[in-house]
PDB file of all heavy atoms in Angstrom:
ATOM      1  N   GLY V  23      55.096  40.709  15.218  1.00 93.00           N
ATOM      2  CA  GLY V  23      54.632  40.792  16.589  1.00 93.00           C
ATOM      3  C   GLY V  23      55.732  40.974  17.633  1.00 93.00           C
ATOM      4  O   GLY V  23      55.443  41.289  18.776  1.00 93.00           O
ATOM      5  N   GLY V  24      56.967  40.828  17.153  1.00 93.00           N
ATOM      6  CA  GLY V  24      58.121  40.944  18.094  1.00 93.00           C
ATOM      7  C   GLY V  24      58.065  40.179  19.337  1.00 93.00           C
ATOM      8  O   GLY V  24      57.800  39.023  19.370  1.00 93.00           O
ATOM      9  N   GLU V  25      58.277  40.925  20.463  1.00 95.00           N
ATOM     10  CA  GLU V  25      58.271  40.241  21.842  1.00 95.00           C
ATOM     11  C   GLU V  25      56.919  39.491  21.976  1.00 95.00           C
ATOM     12  O   GLU V  25      56.813  38.463  22.640  1.00 95.00           O
ATOM     13  CB  GLU V  25      58.559  41.125  22.830  1.00 95.00           C
ATOM     14  CG  GLU V  25      59.972  41.685  22.891  1.00 95.00           C
ATOM     15  CD  GLU V  25      60.232  42.713  23.883  1.00 95.00           C
ATOM     16  OE1 GLU V  25      59.170  43.293  24.608  1.00 95.00           O
ATOM     17  OE2 GLU V  25      61.309  43.204  24.165  1.00 95.00           O
ATOM     18  N   ASP V  26      55.833  40.140  21.550  1.00 96.00           N
ATOM     19  CA  ASP V  26      54.541  39.639  21.812  1.00 96.00           C
ATOM     20  C   ASP V  26      54.430  38.204  21.129  1.00 96.00           C
ATOM     21  O   ASP V  26      53.859  37.429  21.615  1.00 96.00           O
ATOM     22  CB  ASP V  26      53.428  40.625  21.280  1.00 96.00           C
ATOM     23  CG  ASP V  26      53.353  41.902  22.106  1.00 96.00           C
ATOM     24  OD1 ASP V  26      53.684  41.804  23.395  1.00 96.00           O
ATOM     25  OD2 ASP V  26      52.939  42.859  21.648  1.00 96.00           O
ATOM     26  N   TRP V  27      55.018  38.091  19.927  1.00 95.00           N
ATOM     27  CA  TRP V  27      55.075  36.836  19.205  1.00 95.00           C
ATOM     28  C   TRP V  27      55.562  35.740  20.224  1.00 95.00           C
ATOM     29  O   TRP V  27      55.050  34.717  20.308  1.00 95.00           O
ATOM     30  CB  TRP V  27      55.845  36.919  17.927  1.00 95.00           C
ATOM     31  CG  TRP V  27      56.154  35.517  17.386  1.00 95.00           C
ATOM     32  CD1 TRP V  27      55.265  34.850  16.632  1.00 95.00           C
ATOM     33  CD2 TRP V  27      57.377  34.752  17.632  1.00 95.00           C
ATOM     34  NE1 TRP V  27      55.782  33.600  16.305  1.00 95.00           N
ATOM     35  CE2 TRP V  27      57.073  33.538  16.958  1.00 95.00           C
ATOM     36  CE3 TRP V  27      58.456  34.884  18.389  1.00 95.00           C
ATOM     37  CZ2 TRP V  27      57.990  32.501  16.942  1.00 95.00           C
ATOM     38  CZ3 TRP V  27      59.421  33.832  18.341  1.00 95.00           C
ATOM     39  CH2 TRP V  27      59.241  32.664  17.716  1.00 95.00           C
ATOM     40  N   LEU V  28      56.733  36.064  20.812  1.00 95.00           N
ATOM     41  CA  LEU V  28      57.307  35.104  21.659  1.00 95.00           C
ATOM     42  C   LEU V  28      56.457  34.637  22.923  1.00 95.00           C
ATOM     43  O   LEU V  28      56.350  33.592  23.211  1.00 95.00           O
ATOM     44  CB  LEU V  28      58.680  35.635  22.243  1.00 95.00           C
ATOM     45  CG  LEU V  28      59.526  34.612  22.948  1.00 95.00           C
ATOM     46  CD1 LEU V  28      60.881  34.542  22.260  1.00 95.00           C
ATOM     47  CD2 LEU V  28      59.657  34.970  24.341  1.00 95.00           C
ATOM     48  N   PHE V  29      55.887  35.748  23.479  1.00 97.00           N
ATOM     49  CA  PHE V  29      55.042  35.423  24.605  1.00 97.00           C
ATOM     50  C   PHE V  29      53.758  34.636  24.243  1.00 97.00           C
ATOM     51  O   PHE V  29      53.329  33.870  24.976  1.00 97.00           O
ATOM     52  CB  PHE V  29      54.676  36.683  25.444  1.00 97.00           C
ATOM     53  CG  PHE V  29      55.875  37.384  25.938  1.00 97.00           C
ATOM     54  CD1 PHE V  29      56.249  38.674  25.696  1.00 97.00           C
ATOM     55  CD2 PHE V  29      56.701  36.653  26.802  1.00 97.00           C
ATOM     56  CE1 PHE V  29      57.423  39.272  26.274  1.00 97.00           C
ATOM     57  CE2 PHE V  29      57.862  37.340  27.343  1.00 97.00           C
ATOM     58  CZ  PHE V  29      58.203  38.654  27.019  1.00 97.00           C
ATOM     59  N   GLU V  30      53.285  34.909  23.023  1.00 97.00           N
ATOM     60  CA  GLU V  30      52.123  34.133  22.586  1.00 97.00           C
ATOM     61  C   GLU V  30      52.560  32.766  22.351  1.00 97.00           C
ATOM     62  O   GLU V  30      51.702  31.774  22.546  1.00 97.00           O
ATOM     63  CB  GLU V  30      51.591  34.766  21.270  1.00 97.00           C
ATOM     64  CG  GLU V  30      50.886  36.144  21.426  1.00 97.00           C
ATOM     65  CD  GLU V  30      50.565  36.773  20.067  1.00 97.00           C
ATOM     66  OE1 GLU V  30      50.630  36.079  18.979  1.00 97.00           O
ATOM     67  OE2 GLU V  30      50.161  38.021  20.116  1.00 97.00           O
TER      68      GLU V  30
END
Side-chain angles (χ1 to χ4, degrees):
E25 292 175 352
D26 291 334
W27 168 84
L28 188 126
F29 296 123
E30 287 172 14

